[in-house]
Amino acid sequence: MTQAATNNTWRLLLSLIIVGFFISCENSNTVGGDLIEPASVKIDTVYINKFTQKSVEPFSGRIGQTPLGVYEDQLFGKYESTGYYRPLLLSKQDTLTLNSSFKLQLIFNDATEYGDSTKSVDMSVYRIAEQWRDKTIKNSDELLLDQSQLMGQFTYTNEDTIEVALSDSLFADYISIQESDDNLRDSLYNHGYFGFALVPSAANSKIVFPDLENSKIFYVDDSDEDTVSISFKNFAFNLKRTNTPSFANHLYLNSNLESFYSLNFSEIIGDIKAENLLKAEFVIYEDTLQLQNSLPANHVRPEFNYIDLKAISSSQFEYDMQFAATDFIAAKNSTNSLYSFNVTDQINQYIYGSLDSKELFLNLNPNSGIIYSSVFFDSSATNELRPKLILTTIE
Amino acid sequence: MMRLKNLAAFCILLGITFVSTDFAVAQDDEGKSGTAYSSYGTGMPVLTNTAQERAMGIPGVSFNDLRAPGLSNPSFWGYGSYSRIAANIDFNSFSVEDANGSGKNSLLQIASFQAVFPIIKNNLGLSVALYPETRSSYNVNSYQTVAFGDSELNYLSNRTGTGGVTNFELGLGYKLFENLSVGYAPAFSFLTEKDSEFVGFTNANINANLVSRKTSGTSVSHRFGSLLTLNKLLRNNDILQIGATLNLPTEFSATRNSETTKTVGNTTEVITLGTEEQADVSMPLKYGAGFTYFASPMFNFSAEMMNEKWGEAKYGLNVNEQNNFKDRSVYGIGAQFHPYKSRSKKFLSNFKYSLGVSYDTGHLEINNEEINTLWFTGGLGLISPNFRSNSSFDISFQYGIRGTTNQNLVKENIFGINVSVNLTELMFLQRKLN
């Protein structure tokens, strides 16, 4: 055989190998899908039966929005909320005199309200007569007020912003302290000036929620029309509760933390037979029918979209219950009126890790200042509506 | 110098093949894309015939070519004075079709590697070989749904599989008499299979999951062969070779583990699913017989058959698959024409030509359908002109029709190319003349 023929043959062979290499890079296809058994995904349900009801007294200081007003909810009882405010002490450069006018400007960022939407809210302004700290005050703490002298009043209907004229005498002490020597100002301010309260009229049938981060006090000097704004150093609220509800066959959640629940997946782990768990969802169903039926015409409740599920293991339970980061959040599914928590990682720790037990707390977040309440079906409901763990597994 | 060049070229070619095969596997992730039927048991049984045997459509139990060492019959290795090394490379393209659609798969792989050394020239030979006995290679998607409350959950299931039973064999062929040789080849058999199952969801809130199942086991296998050579039967220069082989059954104590990865706490961990499975897996009894008649140096034809008792084989890891096994028979006839021996100067006379047809009943019966294959084969071979070397390479082309689209099965049109590179050299031969 000639050398040329031999060389050509080797080249042919090499070409075949290279062509074959490229041709071998094919994508997979569905042919044979009925021949080869596919992965079998299974959906299982494990019902959660044990919920332990709990309550704590939350802090009300420096919460974003303070509730103001009175409302008696047919389902959830009566709320009466008074706001407490102390303006920031201005520097000495700001010249304040009693020949000026002081106004309170309340900002309402959204139309959130609780109660009879056709009604307005009447509020009165009184001096606070005792020392207080917004970092320690709780919902149930009621401060001593000097109600012998009205410092201002207003009626809120549905405005974005409302300005309330305040009595000069409310600021007489404030101005005196503001003009004091530097070494005395702070002490005088902390021990001598306590701010004012916004007290709702007992006849109210609505609660509103001003935004205290952006609300402020205006001081207008009548002589030169100079305007100085004063933000709040401290703000909080007192929330009185009467006729608090008790639900025999429902889970009751309230952002006031007067009702939340603990649960523990360790009690149902033995019922989980999954070897290859893909997803675990903890689902609870809201009783929207009862909520709607208990609300008279033109009455509204604030709507929430998220529920928290958190693990707390520290000794500061009350503080952490309100302020610790949430481990799991469920968003509202309006179609099915359910909230679903993706707790896959938690269940994985039980099945594949070394977790034996972990208490979780189901609650509505209290830190917006808006009053939320709702009821959910418990283990006495039909299977469709009972709290459950939905497991997606591969067999 | 020419021999060194050929050796260098051969090594380069082999290296490229190894690298390209690895790269092809990497590009297709873990799965090569062959026949979906290889998902059953340890995979599709593989015939150990060379390219030219394949071109003739025969298993090769009676076809002894001194230029091309073969694995089909251990008794062949007692013949010859040359040291022989051979590598077989397979490329198969599958046009596949079922009741729901069609597609293409392809597979490039090293089929076997063998070296034969004459311990006593033309009397006793040693073979060292590495070759697959079964091969699993598939990559199949399917779209599934599962009820989820009032709606449905859609997901993609992908199954890929690689591996099979591979033999590392040391064998001897011995010429008992001038016209009778026997052979024995024990092998270390190792079963390695990897099956990956991927699940992906259109619902983005559920993470995709990949489960890897690894099956392993080892065993020792034994096979025997004999070859009877008769001369001058009908003509002065004719030769009749009658060959027979016997493979004893082999049992593995196979183990299987399944693993996946999970996020547990803040770490990603490899999780073992379930417990380790243990079960018996076996390769069946196999026997083959046939004859090759060399009518002249220019022409020969063969008729052979092979029978494998897959109906008695075990695959305890999946009894449903085991229940699909059935006995397999392969029947082949073929012929060769060797114009290169005429020393003609015409280009087409530089080769040898092969043609054949074979029918494989298959080792599976699924849904009462036998998965059989009809093969049409052909090929050519090129011989080295160097008198000290009988190196050659053979290339075969096969066209096969397998299966059916009935009963949710798959019909395959298979186009295959098989290349044998045979290096045949006189080694350790002391020159008598300087």
Side-chain angles (χ1 to χ4, degrees):
Chain A
M1 184 179 177
T2 63
Q3 183 62 45
T6 304
N7 290 343
N8 287 337
T9 305
W10 285 113
R11 289 190 195 112
L12 172 64
L13 191 60
L14 189 60
S15 302
L16 282 171
I17 300 294
I18 293 171
V19 167
F21 153 65
F22 283 111
I23 292 173
S24 68
C25 302
E26 292 280 355
N27 291 325
S28 57
N29 52 59
T30 60
V31 177
D34 292 331
L35 184 66
I36 298 177
E37 191 179 347
S40 177
V41 173
K42 195 172 66 159
I43 311 290
D44 284 324
T45 299
V46 177
Y47 295 106
I48 310 293
N49 296 316
K50 188 173 176 187
F51 293 86
T52 304
Q53 189 175 26
K54 292 182 179 298
S55 66
V56 297
E57 192 63 54
F59 296 91
S60 69
R62 301 204 70 82
I63 303 296
Q65 289 162 290
T66 57
L68 295 175
V70 177
Y71 179 62
E72 175 126 34
D73 190 315
Q74 288 183 14
L75 190 60
F76 297 117
K78 186 174 180 181
Y79 297 87
E80 185 177 341
S81 183
T82 298
Y84 301 133
Y85 312 95
R86 189 158 79 117
L88 185 70
L89 184 67
L90 292 175
S91 67
K92 220 170 171 179
Q93 280 80 16
D94 295 302
T95 305
L96 305 178
T97 69
L98 283 174
N99 292 326
S100 310
S101 54
F102 292 85
K103 286 183 183 176
L104 169 65
Q105 184 186 64
L106 291 176
I107 307 292
F108 294 84
N109 278 335
D110 55 43
T112 303
E113 52 190 13
Y114 184 14
D116 188 347
S117 60
T118 64
K119 301 288 187 187
S120 52
V121 177
D122 297 320
M123 304 291 294
S124 301
V125 184
Y126 295 105
R127 191 198 309 271
I128 296 174
E130 67 172 296
Q131 188 177 9
W132 59 285
R133 292 180 66 223
D134 61 0
K135 288 186 178 179
T136 58
I137 193 169
K138 294 196 173 179
N139 280 17
S140 59
D141 292 337
E142 192 173 356
L143 298 178
L144 180 66
L145 303 180
D146 176 7
Q147 292 188 320
S148 64
Q149 192 177 4
L150 184 67
M151 296 296 165
Q153 61 185 29
F154 65 94
T155 298
Y156 171 82
T157 306
N158 199 19
E159 299 91 338
D160 292 335
T161 306
I162 188 168
E163 289 187 357
V164 182
L166 299 174
S167 164
D168 291 347
S169 62
L170 184 62
F171 285 88
D173 292 337
Y174 180 88
I175 292 171
S176 166
I177 293 169
Q178 191 254 345
E179 291 174 344
S180 302
D181 292 337
D182 289 343
N183 57 341
L184 295 174
R185 293 175 81 244
D186 285 342
S187 177
L188 289 173
Y189 175 75
N190 289 331
H191 296 97
Y193 185 76
F194 309 130
F196 58 89
L198 298 182
V199 180
S201 162
N204 282 331
S205 187
K206 185 160 80 174
I207 296 175
V208 293
F209 304 91
D211 173 10
L212 266 298
E213 294 283 352
N214 294 307
S215 297
K216 50 181 66 73
I217 294 171
F218 276 103
Y219 154 81
V220 181
D221 187 321
D222 290 336
S223 60
D224 59 9
E225 297 179 354
D226 189 22
T227 301
V228 177
S229 69
I230 309 171
S231 58
F232 294 103
K233 180 174 172 61
N234 307 111
F235 53 88
F237 61 90
N238 161 248
L239 187 65
K240 284 191 191 138
R241 292 282 282 131
T242 47
N243 299 329
T244 53
S246 174
F247 297 92
N249 295 317
H250 282 74
L251 302 175
Y252 163 46
L253 292 180
N254 178 285
S255 62
N256 192 33
L257 295 183
E258 68 188 36
S259 176
F260 60 94
Y261 295 85
S262 75
L263 61 145
N264 198 324
F265 291 127
S266 65
E267 289 151 7
I268 50 90
I269 285 300
D271 297 330
I272 298 176
K273 305 299 179 193
E275 284 191 355
N276 191 1
L277 177 71
L278 301 183
K279 186 177 182 183
E281 296 173 273
F282 168 49
V283 182
I284 57 173
Y285 300 85
E286 196 173 35
D287 188 354
T288 51
L289 193 61
Q290 187 173 22
L291 292 170
Q292 286 163 9
N293 291 345
S294 62
L295 210 53
N298 298 318
H299 286 226
V300 295
R301 290 192 187 101
E303 292 191 356
F304 59 92
N305 293 315
Y306 299 97
I307 300 180
D308 294 352
L309 187 66
K310 58 172 76 170
I312 298 170
S313 55
S314 76
S315 57
Q316 302 180 92
F317 182 81
E318 283 190 353
Y319 182 87
D320 285 344
M321 189 62 222
Q322 183 170 0
F323 297 112
T326 298
D327 291 86
F328 307 99
I329 295 179
K332 183 173 189 171
N333 180 327
S334 302
T335 308
N336 299 320
S337 301
L338 64 85
Y339 291 81
S340 170
F341 297 88
N342 187 338
V343 293
T344 307
D345 183 58
Q346 174 95 159
I347 303 299
N348 276 352
Q349 290 185 54
Y350 280 109
I351 298 176
Y352 309 115
S354 56
L355 184 62
D356 289 325
S357 177
K358 193 166 194 175
E359 197 173 16
L360 297 172
F361 298 92
L362 182 71
N363 70 288
L364 294 179
N365 193 301
N367 296 326
S368 68
I370 297 178
I371 300 170
Y372 298 116
S373 303
S374 191
V375 285
F376 301 83
F377 294 101
D378 70 358
S379 56
S380 64
T382 61
N383 284 348
E384 191 183 343
L385 297 172
R386 290 168 65 181
K388 54 178 67 83
L389 202 61
I390 298 176
L391 305 168
T392 306
T393 63
I394 296 179
E395 288 185 292
Chain B
M1 181 57 77
M2 181 59 70
R3 186 174 67 181
L4 280 176
K5 278 189 182 174
N6 285 343
L7 181 61
F10 173 77
C11 291
I12 291 168
L13 202 61
L14 210 58
I16 290 171
T17 304
F18 273 116
V19 170
S20 61
T21 305
D22 281 346
F23 190 55
V25 170
Q27 287 215 11
D28 200 18
D29 199 11
E30 296 292 340
K32 294 182 180 180
S33 191
T35 168
Y37 293 112
S38 68
S39 64
Y40 282 73
T42 60
M44 295 291 278
V46 176
L47 286 178
T48 54
N49 44 8
T50 62
Q52 67 172 328
E53 289 162 355
R54 204 172 294 195
M56 293 174 67
I58 56 172
V61 298
S62 67
F63 181 76
N64 182 17
D65 182 352
L66 292 181
R67 292 188 183 88
L71 287 164
S72 305
N73 191 329
S75 65
F76 294 168
W77 307 328
Y79 289 84
S81 307
Y82 291 88
S83 298
R84 293 165 285 171
I85 298 174
N88 284 277
I89 302 149
D90 271 349
F91 170 70
N92 287 293
S93 173
F94 300 80
S95 290
V96 295
E97 174 189 4
D98 66 5
N100 301 314
S102 61
K104 273 194 179 304
N105 300 331
S106 60
L107 199 58
L108 172 67
Q109 55 205 346
I110 296 279
S112 64
F113 181 82
Q114 181 188 22
V116 175
F117 305 100
I119 297 176
I120 303 173
K121 279 193 303 181
N122 271 318
N123 191 255
L124 178 68
L126 170 73
S127 166
V128 181
L130 184 68
Y131 62 91
E133 192 164 350
T134 63
R135 178 168 279 128
S136 178
S137 56
Y138 57 92
N139 188 339
V140 174
N141 291 332
S142 67
Y143 295 94
Q144 305 289 320
T145 58
V146 61
F148 184 53
D150 295 332
S151 61
E152 285 183 334
L153 202 59
N154 299 314
Y155 64 96
L156 164 72
S157 169
N158 172 268
R159 293 280 306 275
T160 59
T162 56
V165 175
T166 304
N167 291 335
F168 176 67
E169 182 181 82
L170 279 174
L172 290 172
Y174 179 60
K175 226 175 179 182
L176 271 178
F177 305 106
E178 187 58 35
N179 60 350
L180 178 66
S181 65
V182 294
Y184 166 62
F188 178 71
S189 299
F190 45 99
L191 165 65
T192 49
E193 282 187 295
K194 185 174 176 186
D195 170 25
S196 296
E197 181 181 87
F198 171 83
V199 172
F201 294 86
T202 53
N203 180 340
N205 289 330
I206 304 178
N207 291 334
N209 182 256
L210 179 69
V211 175
S212 294
R213 293 190 189 86
K214 293 178 185 170
T215 305
S216 60
T218 58
S219 181
V220 176
S221 62
H222 308 272
R223 64 192 186 110
F224 306 87
S226 64
L227 182 72
L228 177 67
T229 306
L230 302 171
N231 301 327
K232 298 180 181 178
L233 281 178
L234 301 173
R235 299 156 67 104
N236 281 338
N237 58 353
D238 69 357
I239 302 171
L240 175 67
Q241 292 181 339
I242 302 172
T245 59
L246 176 70
N247 290 39
L248 296 182
T250 310
E251 279 228 3
F252 298 86
S253 180
T255 58
R256 173 177 283 175
N257 293 294
S258 299
E259 287 182 345
T260 186
T261 55
K262 298 282 180 197
T263 301
V264 181
N266 295 324
T267 59
T268 300
E269 297 182 8
V270 175
I271 303 293
T272 299
L273 297 174
T275 55
E276 182 181 84
E277 294 175 74
Q278 289 187 343
D280 290 333
V281 171
S282 70
M283 295 289 105
L285 174 76
K286 303 177 189 178
Y287 56 88
F291 72 89
T292 298
Y293 180 62
F294 296 86
S296 71
M298 299 279 286
F299 178 77
N300 56 274
F301 70 86
S302 305
E304 296 183 354
M305 62 81 67
M306 178 156 276
N307 191 272
E308 299 176 357
K309 294 294 192 182
W310 280 96
E312 294 160 18
K314 291 185 229 172
Y315 192 70
L317 295 168
N318 189 323
V319 177
N320 288 336
E321 290 179 3
Q322 177 183 300
N323 291 338
N324 290 119
F325 291 164
K326 68 165 186 63
D327 291 350
R328 175 196 185 202
S329 297
V330 178
Y331 308 94
I333 56 172
Q336 267 190 330
F337 179 54
H338 307 260
Y340 71 93
K341 292 183 180 176
S342 68
R343 304 215 180 268
S344 166
K345 288 198 173 41
K346 295 178 184 170
F347 174 73
L348 290 179
S349 297
N350 289 313
F351 304 96
K352 60 180 173 184
Y353 299 91
S354 306
L355 268 180
V357 63
S358 65
Y359 177 69
D360 182 346
T361 67
H363 75 299
L364 296 173
E365 183 173 323
I366 306 170
N367 299 335
N368 296 318
E369 294 279 352
E370 198 175 80
I371 309 304
N372 49 41
T373 313
L374 177 64
W375 291 101
F376 301 96
T377 58
L380 53 85
L382 178 68
I383 313 298
S384 168
N386 187 337
F387 80 95
R388 286 177 58 86
S389 164
N390 274 329
S391 298
S392 65
F393 85 88
D394 299 293
I395 183 167
S396 72
F397 304 92
Q398 308 103 46
Y399 176 72
I401 305 165
R402 174 185 292 153
T404 172
T405 55
N406 297 334
Q407 303 293 333
N408 297 322
L409 297 175
V410 175
K411 184 175 177 185
E412 298 173 342
N413 290 294
I414 310 161
F415 175 69
I417 299 174
N418 175 256
V419 172
S420 289
V421 181
N422 311 299
L423 192 64
T424 304
E425 299 289 348
L426 283 174
M427 293 173 68
F428 314 117
L429 176 70
Q430 189 173 11
R431 287 176 177 271
K432 291 190 176 172
L433 293 174
N434 289 324

